[in-house]
Amino acid sequence: MAEVKELRDGYGRRLNYLRISVTDRCNYRCLYCMPSEGVKCLSHAEILRYEDIKFLCRVFRGLGVEKFRFTGGEPLVRRGLVSFMKELREEMPDVKMAMTTNASLLGSCARELAEARIDSLNVSLDTLDAEKFAKVTRVGSIDAVFEGISAAKAAGIKNIKLNAVLIRGFNDGEVPALLSFARREGLLLRLIEFMPLQESIWKKDAFIVGRDLLAALPEGAAWEKSGRCGGSDGPAEYYVNRKTGDKIGIIAAVSNHFCKSCNRLRVSAEGKLRTCLFNPQETPLKEVIRRRDERLLREVIVAAAAEKPRCWDVVNNGDIKMSGIGG
Ligand code: SF4
């Protein structure tokens, strides 16, 4: 078989972005992410070790993947992640490295993350109201998040995005506050449609469609489209406010899906490859990774990538646990 230099699926989409969940654990118990009794956590033996992840990254790099995003659960609850990222950076100085985090643990590791030359951080924060925050996370304190963001900025991490999932009746009145917070802190706010991943949690009444998110922005008429950052930068549509210069991203993950330009693959904490967020079909990679059989691993990945579904509407089974696959 001729050496494959870049991954393509059966529809010709180039797949150059890999999201790696490093843990299924989280220090929060968010209402819309986990059931109240929590979820059964994987044991250490079940999840990929750092050497496994490094080998996996090498193989994906060889297949043309240019961006790795570390997710969870909450990735920073896994001990040693930041040192691992530094090692990976030394080996791969030119890849993009990103992380999605709730920021609550950033305070103690932001400096080291900056040393790893992390390219971007996505901070998930849906409300600025301390009481609501405590209620929705069941255990979290919003001050830790604010401290984490400040530490990241102080360490010199530049590209920090604030991701807020908008839910009717919960935080839809907070858009102006989120916008001014983002402006004050120098973050890029992105509003995200509430995805129907778990039927038990997602409610139709709570769903706000992307165009309504846009219409509800303060000074509605002043917002102008400034393009879509496709490629490895994600699926947001960006808008700029003519008067204030504020920028905002809208991720209409449900109403205006970005499948046509989807470039992403996901690997779960236990080493299962998922070619589409909504497709329950997974390809287990752990055993092949542990054999360190590079040729076989490439073959398995190339074959799985070729089967990536065209779009979510053909595969959605409506019951995906976000905590286990890192969003
Ligand atoms: S639904 Fe699947 S194919 Fe569509 S953008 Fe999401 S991950 Fe990609």
Side-chain angles (χ1 to χ4, degrees):
M1 186 163 104
E3 173 106 336
V4 179
K5 291 258 168 33
E6 56 177 40
L7 273 178
R8 292 219 177 243
D9 66 16
Y11 300 92
R13 290 171 297 193
R14 175 148 183 236
L15 309 174
N16 58 359
Y17 172 20
L18 179 67
R19 300 168 65 99
I20 304 169
S21 169
V22 293
T23 178
D24 60 332
R25 290 166 198 245
C26 185
N27 52 342
Y28 289 173
R29 292 282 172 275
C30 292
L31 285 175
Y32 47 81
C33 186
M34 289 202 192
S36 54
E37 67 279 11
V39 286
K40 195 177 165 286
C41 287
L42 297 167
S43 69
H44 286 298
E46 284 171 298
I47 64 172
L48 294 184
R49 302 177 195 122
Y50 285 127
E51 311 89 81
D52 297 331
I53 300 177
K54 200 188 266 183
F55 179 69
L56 183 74
C57 289
R58 261 181 219 142
V59 170
F60 271 106
R61 184 76 190 113
L63 288 167
V65 166
E66 294 158 341
K67 177 171 175 177
F68 298 112
R69 173 175 300 278
F70 296 100
T71 70
E74 165 52 41
L76 291 174
V77 301
R78 178 147 178 194
R79 233 178 287 148
L81 176 64
V82 184
S83 322
F84 167 74
M85 287 173 71
K86 276 167 97 175
E87 278 175 34
L88 196 67
R89 171 57 82 207
E90 268 167 39
E91 185 176 326
M92 300 179 193
D94 56 339
V95 288
K96 281 195 176 168
M97 279 205 294
M99 183 186 287
T100 299
T101 173
N102 62 29
S104 62
L105 303 170
L106 264 180
S108 56
C109 64
R111 193 175 296 266
E112 236 195 313
L113 262 181
E115 283 166 17
R117 289 192 285 115
I118 187 166
D119 293 280
S120 64
L121 266 182
N122 287 359
V123 173
S124 313
L125 182 62
D126 301 333
T127 178
L128 294 170
D129 178 311
E131 261 175 53
K132 262 201 237 173
F133 183 86
K135 201 165 153 199
V136 79
T137 60
R138 294 194 179 102
V139 290
S141 144
I142 203 163
D143 290 336
V145 176
F146 294 152
E147 277 162 32
I149 293 173
S150 303
K153 285 182 0 186
I157 298 174
K158 295 251 162 355
N159 187 358
I160 307 179
K161 300 189 186 91
L162 194 67
N163 284 349
V165 176
L166 271 233
I167 302 175
R168 196 183 308 284
F170 169 63
N171 61 353
D172 49 329
E174 284 197 59
V175 175
L178 285 163
L179 254 177
S180 21
F181 175 73
R183 182 191 308 135
R184 200 175 62 234
E185 297 292 324
L187 317 174
L188 175 58
L189 175 65
R190 306 194 307 170
L191 303 177
I192 304 174
E193 281 181 352
F194 188 20
M195 282 193 261
L197 289 169
Q198 275 176 269
E199 274 171 357
S200 53
I201 293 162
W202 190 82
K203 299 273 176 290
K204 206 168 172 208
D205 296 351
F207 176 70
I208 309 175
V209 67
R211 59 178 175 279
D212 292 344
L213 297 179
L214 192 61
L217 290 178
E219 305 174 306
W223 292 91
E224 282 172 356
K225 203 163 177 172
S226 83
R228 185 178 195 125
C229 274
S232 64
D233 284 336
E237 297 263 14
Y238 288 97
Y239 295 82
V240 173
N241 187 308
R242 244 184 300 116
K243 292 188 195 155
T244 61
D246 284 342
K247 197 172 175 189
I248 198 167
I250 306 275
I251 303 187
V254 181
S255 67
N256 183 16
H257 223 68
F258 40 90
C259 303
K260 240 203 262 160
S261 57
C262 182
N263 61 345
R264 53 190 61 195
L265 293 167
R266 298 177 153 77
V267 170
S268 71
E270 51 187 335
K272 291 181 178 163
L273 175 67
R274 231 183 226 261
T275 59
C276 169
L277 175 59
F278 293 88
N279 187 358
Q281 206 175 319
E282 295 173 320
T283 307
L285 302 180
K286 190 166 66 190
E287 251 189 60
V288 189
I289 294 173
R290 294 223 165 129
R291 276 200 251 155
R292 297 292 186 266
D293 185 337
E294 191 171 331
R295 217 182 60 156
L296 181 59
L297 184 57
R298 283 174 72 98
E299 278 173 20
V300 173
I301 294 170
V302 169
E307 296 299 315
K308 181 176 167 78
R310 180 183 53 78
C311 191
W312 72 309
D313 54 9
V314 293
V315 290
N316 180 22
N317 74 348
D319 193 18
I320 295 175
K321 290 189 179 50
M322 214 52 159
S323 55
I325 49 174

